Amino acid sequence: MTEAVKGPASYFPSIEKKHGRPISEWKAIIRSSPLTRHMELVSRLKTEHGLGHGHANALVAHTLAEDAGK
């Protein structure tokens, strides 16, 4: 039996469905930004790409955590 996805990644299917871009593209947008602070990145996704706060926050949190683990 497959374990349910938890945390920020649980938003990924609805982000892809609602906004029509794969998660890899959103992560590339975040990583290519000159901004580095969490809430600055969230605000950029909301303002420039029309994401809601929850989706933007999940993408940024997951991407920054992933990058910190490298």
Side-chain angles (χ1 to χ4, degrees):
M1 186 169 184
T2 307
E3 190 173 321
V5 177
K6 297 179 182 177
S10 66
Y11 285 88
F12 290 177
S14 61
I15 293 169
E16 289 179 330
K17 183 177 179 182
K18 183 171 183 175
H19 299 285
R21 289 185 178 185
I23 297 304
S24 60
E25 277 189 37
W26 291 114
K27 289 183 176 191
I29 289 168
I30 293 166
R31 289 180 174 127
S32 68
S33 174
L35 304 173
T36 57
R37 298 182 63 187
H38 182 97
M39 288 309 296
E40 291 174 334
L41 290 161
V42 169
S43 292
R44 179 174 183 234
L45 291 176
K46 291 167 62 176
T47 303
E48 294 182 19
H49 300 282
L51 271 71
H53 183 81
H55 285 175
N57 189 58
L59 285 165
V60 171
H62 193 275
T63 303
L64 293 180
E66 194 174 71
D67 291 352
K70 288 184 178 178

